[in-house]
Amino acid sequence: MLSSLATIAAFVAVAHGAATGLPSRTTAADAALCSQYAYQSVNGYDLLNNLWGISTATSGSQCTTYDGPAGSGIAFSSTWTWQGDQNTVKSYIYAGRQFQRKKVSDIRSLPTTVEWSYNRTDHRANVAYDIFTSTDPDHANSSGDFELMIWLHRYGGIWPITSSSTGSPIATVTVAGYSWDLYTGYNGAMRVYSFVAPNGPYNSFTADVKEFFNYLVKNESFPESQQYMLIYQFGTEAFVGGPIKFGVSKFQAEVN
């Protein structure tokens, strides 16, 4: 979750997951997911057209489509257009790996590969991995005690949640062979860590996400032996802009 720099202190976002009611389910491989929480389970992944912030839009729409298998992962895309408050997220389009929850300390590796693109750049959005953890293995997957985000790019001057009054990162680091600006702050009671690509997009990204947890354990006292990983997802948070297309030609993730 994130906010614009102008609203960091006040912004407390609604959780990413479908918090009210059950998502609608689609089974056809080429069917478009267009309703607020339209959902598809395919090849070990969840695909969700998550319009959790639609109430802040004055107009707009979004449809997400499963585009087929990609190696041992999946391909998907989404077309969206949103108008309204430029500082609030309207949706989080994502695919999430299905897995058996376990403590972060018991996870050996979290290998992933993703290839993605936007067909325009004149919008406000990020492209990011998003992971929640909690002491409760049965916690809802819409929030947690901690949130780890890995931003492969950001558009339109948006910023991650930070406690810094200047919006400055707490560190510039190298993790998994990539450079990052690290931000941290709170979304309500949930501690958020955001690793943000500092110099342009990582459109093709291959890494072991466990290395990000290892960094937090060593440098931020992250309590890995007490935290269960709840969800492992990748997508884009859309603010305003469009019509625009977000395409993921491959998203593959494993929990070992």
Side-chain angles (χ1 to χ4, degrees), residues 12 144-146 185-192:
V12 178
D145 301 326
F146 292 90
Y186 285 88
N187 180 3
M190 182 170 63
R191 183 73 177 267
V192 183

Side-chain angles (χ1 to χ4, degrees), residues 11 16 46 59 75 77 79 109 112 125 140 145 151 170 172 179 207:
F11 182 74
H16 285 155
D46 298 316
S59 63
S77 58
T79 301
S109 64
T112 184
D145 301 326
W151 289 34
I170 62 170
T172 297
S179 296

